Amino acid sequence: MSWIEETFLMRDCVKFIPSSRDLHRCVPVCQVCQNLIRCCCGRLIAEHSWKDSPPPFTLCPGPEQEVDQDWSTEHHTKASPTNAYGTIDFQDTATRVCRAKYVRVAEDSKAELVLQLMLKEWQMEKPKLLLSVHGGLQNFTLPPKVKHSFSRGLITAALSTGAWIFTDGVNTGVSKYVGEAVKTFGSHKLRKRNTVGLTSWGLIDNNMELIGRDVFRPYQPVGNPLSKRASLNRFHSHFLLVDDGTLGKYGCQQGLRRNLEKQIQLQRIHPRLNHGVPVLCVVIEGGPALVSTVLDYVSRAPPVPVLIFEGSGRAADLLAFLHKQTANHRKLVSDIEQDFLLRISDVFTVDAAEASHLYSLLLQCMDYRQAITIFDSESEDQAAPDISILSATLKGTGASPAEQLSMTLAWDRADVAQKDVLVFGRHWQMGSLEQAMLDALLMDRVSFVKLLIDNGMTMSRFLTVERLEDLYNTGQTDRFLRHLVEDVKQSSLPAGYRLSLIDIGMVIEYLVGGAYRSTYTRKNFRAAYNRQLKELSQMGSPEASHSSGLHVLPLLVFPFNYNDLFVWAVLQQRQEMALFLWQHGEEALARATVACKMYRSMSVEARQSGMDDNASERFKEYSLEFGRLAVDFLDCAFHQNEQMAMKLLTSEMEAWSHFTCLQMAVSSCHRTFVSHSCTQTLLTDLWTGPLNMRKNSVIRIILSLLLPPAVFLLEFKSKAEMCHVPQSHEVMLFSLDSVKSDPMVNTGSEMKTSTLTLCLSWIKRLYEFYTAPVVKFWFHTIFYLAFLMLFSFVVLVKMGDQPSIQEWLVIAYIMSSAVEKVREVLMSEPRKLSHKLKIWFSEYWNISDFVAILLFLSGLVLRWYPDPYRTAGRLAYCLDIIFWFIRLTELLAVNQHAGPYLTMITKMTSNMFFIVVMMAIVLLSFGVSRKAILSPDEEPSWSLARDVVFQPYWMIYGEVYAGEIDSCDDGVPCSSASFLTPFLQAVYMFFQYIIMVNILIAFFNNIYFDMASTSNKLWKYNRYRYIMTYLERPWLPPPLVVLSHLTLALSATYRTLRRDAEAEEKYRDRRSGLKLHLCSEDRKKLHEFEEKCVYTYKHKKREERDGGQNKRIKATAERSEEMSSMVGEVLEKVQVIQDSLSGLDCQLGQLQDLSSLVMDTATILSASDCLHQEEARLDQSFPVSSGHSYSQTPFVSGHLELPYRKFSIGEQYLCHSQEETSVEEEKEEYLAEREEDEDNHEEGSQKELFPNMTSSRTSSHTVLLSNHDDISEGLVNPAFSLENSQPAPLSSDQCERHLKSRWNRMSVNHPYIWCRSLSSSVENITFCAAPLCPERDSFPSLCRPMRAMERNNLMRLALSVPFTPVSIFGGEEVSVYTLQDSDPSTLPPCWSTQGMSALLQPLSSEEGSLDGGLCLGCRALCTWAENDVLRTGLVYVVKAFKPEVVRVWQRYFPGDTALQLCLREIQQQRAAQRLMNIFNQIKPNEVQHTPRFLDVSLIQWHSSGQWFTIERNMTGHFRKYNNNTGEEIDPCCTLEETLLAFSHWTYQFSNRELLVLDLQGVGEELTDPTVVMAENQSGNRNELLFGADNLGDAAIKSFLQNHCCTSCCYLLGLTGQCRFLEVSYIRNIYCKFYCFSFEFLLV
């Protein structure tokens, strides 16, 4: 059993107590009682657990039982280990994975155990703030501003502070808004979403699915709308499901929630801070119970602050109103009080007594008004919501300023601290700000450190020994620092060891290396520190020492206290803090180079110590970051002032062991820094010294060395030009100023003074010439070349018994050079001799010189003895000269051209080791085997090793020893296995010569190309060492250097006799190294310049960051322009394609007309042959036939000239298309039906179709005709008759005359020229007014010959006879015609060739009648449908236009007005549907809603022959969002914003040519839109475009005046001028579809 099961319990009801007080006496309990009567816990009898007791036999209490027993959790439930805990996987989250931890606990669970579960088992981060959200339980609507402020403020405050959020956890009410806030603004990580839902177990829908121990349960949060229970919100991270044994009841979790909040308050907000976790109650909306909850929060001790969002509704608004009205302890006026009581009654729907009680509770809340904060999202002075939440927490807790600062420090919200805590005039206790600074440093709160520094915190007052040691001994990353201390001390540290500043100083020296000496390890600091520790140990315990503090002594009174904090940040690996501290204080460039060096050493130490690679890489990245910072800062300073920048490089830094920035950069191998132009310029000035030579410098220097008087002809730099160049100590002493200050000179005559000054100037010029490094180099080079010549002569000639003069000179040179090397070691910067030797031997040339000197000394000793020792000594000379010749390469390293090549050679030599080892392995493997095979009888000797190595080695260079390949050819006896040697040699040569040598060449080639790009930088870096070598070397070369050594010995003796320790230590610090010694005034100017550079650098970086954003914006704009031009080109190509398709459509239309003529001719021929047979067959098969097909029979009609000739159609008549039907029969049939329709049929059919029909509200376009007299003649299908009468046949002569007139008229007028496209259908026919034909007064005439497609499609619709089934179901027979979709890029949608039959049963007037707008409608139930054209059992809405509307349009469509209006109504909705489809395809993902229009079909009522539209009935709350006049509602949700934005989008998308209005429907399902077209596109307003409710420009103008763009409009980019979207190609395709026969101008 797990810890959760052992700790937490659940409760089950074990006693059935009926909730109803009616006594049921049925024995045993009947099935009705078991399924209807519930227990007080909310469960039925079968839902109880009867494991421990049997179910009740009867619900009637016995004579001794109490009837009024109250159910309680304590007495009627049983506790058992919980059986539900694990992980919930929410199933309806398509965008991201949402999972949550959950557990079922009893209501009396201990809060400390629940908190342990959350921290230990669920591993939630400890909270620094608890936000308890309370509000309405049922769904409610928040205003957009309030919702945005609440969502953004809550999540921002939680994420920035690490807060927990407590809610009810259900998917309704305020918990749902919290979930939406987490979804919109929260983090996707579970550990970052600390949103806890405390919910009643019995209130959860489908809670039985969660039962299981440590399980992973899928959960569907879509609940049953008829259920009283709720589902869990999927955006919560954890759920505490509180169980009290009830089902479907709310409130049992409140007690556990209250206890858990109190337990969290007892937790520390941070390990370093003593303040508890603050709690804030956030109030949104809410009912009467919320008032008591708020009162409970504010009346606690200490009080819990409450933040109320004003404008959220109900209880929140009442609290906000009362809080404002009772400000400054005011009381409500009696009138306002009465109005307030009435408002309480109205808001909560309670009586007066309950309202008075709630009012008293509200007044009690106002007694704690200091703990209540009102957030008004409408106020302009209101702060950001997250800041308001945190400010309310600080204000309501009543904490002291120090505690408030601690809370903001734990939250890491410096903005809140600056606004509410660190305000002017607030009194602070002594030491509180210092403690806050210490906490901020230890918690790595950079923003707070900056805030405290800006508010007057000084390092001299804050930084003490005690605090500095606390900083080093407290932290999360001190393990590596302790490891460094152990490496320095060469011993393990005991547990609990407290690092001292002396230990830190040793670590700093260890990391920086070289001769660096930390301030913490100097004698004066050690003495004062140890003395202070001794005094404190005598006073008492170590605790007393910390209480008294070491800061009583001025131990850390340094000029730059920021340096100590900076070093602490580096050693503690706090990079962000180190970068911040770098900006403060002085010596910024020095701090950057020091950090670069220390991080580099830490990286090497981490790698060598076997720590993880991440630590080493992290230190290396930190080092590179500070290296780049140093280079950038140096570049900024160099551009401002070159001389001051070079002073920064070489000025002596007393705080950094008298090092210079250049020394520190070289020790950290920062090649980029040393290769910078500023550094190289300084090195060039150092190399030339006071000589002002730029051209032919080598010749002039050599000439001056050979002829010393030529020195006075050279040019020297002025003092101003040399102010930035460091001078040696001797040069500073030997200055003209000291001479001028001599009193003997001042007392002499003017003549003597001028003569002496001139002599001294000559002497100084000579001294400056010979002490210049470039002169030293050539002076030493000349002597060195002479030495090599003499040494070569000594080696080449015979060595005598006594050394010759040349040999004595060589001996003098080498011995003086040895003395010089000793001087270099002794005068180096380190104090200890071992350290001096370690640094000196780190240089390769020093090792080479040491070996050469030792070898020469050994040869010199041996040459004094006779042979063979003299010969050995001479041999030592011969080998020793090799080292001195190699030493010449160092002289070439100074040259700019030869130096890079020497660097490459050095790199190749150092990297070829492993390849040479592999080649040696191959060589030895072959050499040993070869020698062993060829010479099996060799005796032991050293020649074996020579033969094994030498011959295989020379084979690498091409010497194959051909004569020895086959040793048996000369007849000499050989080994029996000698035949193997040629084979082995072949293999050896292949591997060694072909493979290994080529690999070595390739390796060298790779190194060459890699070094070619960096060799110049490496040479510049090595140049510093060469210049420093000659700068520190005496100007006299060996053997004359002995004179310089005597001078140095005398000066050292003089300083020793003076016995000035302080001066001696100062001299030792300054005697070596490239350092510029400045006076206090010059140092102050240099620091001011450096501070100015720091400010300039920060400003430059800020501009680069801002400029980078501007560049990205500019680049984006340029790319947008390029894309726009490309889109324009594509549009032009699309237009060309459209023109080609239009021409193709015309040709296809002509072909279809020709096919129609052929079919008509075939029909006439077949009708004349089979007239009587077809008539008889029709009489027999018409009532039960599956369908009839009709063809068209046009008649001659005249033309009518109208002002709107833009749209017109030809008149046509209908007749049977069967082969045996005569023309006379068709005419008589038609006349009979027309007469019957005019006299009797229409009035009766309407009454029979919808009897007793009344009107009710529906959409603006839906009606059925209620009066037959108002109905105009429509297009009647002759296939149906009320009395099933057969049509009378016409004469064949009349039919033939009509046909002939049709052919003649078509041949004359060429109707093919009006065929615009193949996509014409009955839906794109626009009828015009036409008078009655004089010959056939009942038939309208044609305005012009109709188009081919229009004629054919209309005939298919009007003359198709659907199958009429036997009416075995209830309802009226109708024919349904649907518009079949096809690919819009190829063919348009077309009407079905035959209508499908269906049965519709009109509903009663109470539930079926509809009224509104231009139409009447009626609901009808589909009882049967052919091929499921309508869904059986579904309710539909049948619509027809009102009589007055039909009368208005009858003069334009005489005879078929109703049909034409219905067709345009369908066409209008289909157009809006197509636009909506495009809108849904191109809308951004932020627009979540996907609205759609219903499909509309055309039906013909068989009993009346009338035409109607039909669509599916919508259930739900019907809303209207705008009307056809352009007025619209004020949107209050995203759906309404989306729909209003759709109307705006249609206007922009169509290039301001049409507008879709009158949006209405239920939810996302819409119906009956109005497509409004501008009058300049529709021509004359007497035309009917789209629908009868098209108000044209007036509606468009009204819409533009009334419409307010919402956030959805901005997402769609609809502001400003009309813009063409990227869907232009799709739009053009759909334009083709809507070009029916009228101009649908979308293009």
Side-chain angles (χ1 to χ4, degrees), residues 27 172 238 269 316 453 675 695 716-717 889 912 958 988 999 1224 1260 1274 1282 1353 1411 1457 1488:
V27 178
T172 58
H238 304 84
I269 192 172
I453 292 175
S675 302
K695 295 181 180 180
F716 288 82
K717 298 178 183 176
T889 57
M912 67 180 292
Y988 167 74
I999 289 177
E1224 289 82 4
S1260 63
L1282 288 176
N1353 291 328
D1411 184 19
T1457 309
Q1488 300 177 357

Side-chain angles (χ1 to χ4, degrees), residues 687 698 777-778 888-903 1015-1016 1018-1020 1022-1023 1026-1027 1030:
W687 178 246
V698 176
F777 169 77
W778 287 110
L888 282 174
T889 57
E890 186 188 17
L891 304 178
L892 297 177
V894 181
N895 187 267
Q896 183 177 2
H897 303 286
Y901 290 106
L902 184 62
T903 304
S1015 60
N1016 190 34
L1018 290 175
W1019 173 79
K1020 290 180 179 179
N1022 295 328
R1023 186 185 180 208
Y1026 304 142
I1027 294 177
Y1030 287 98

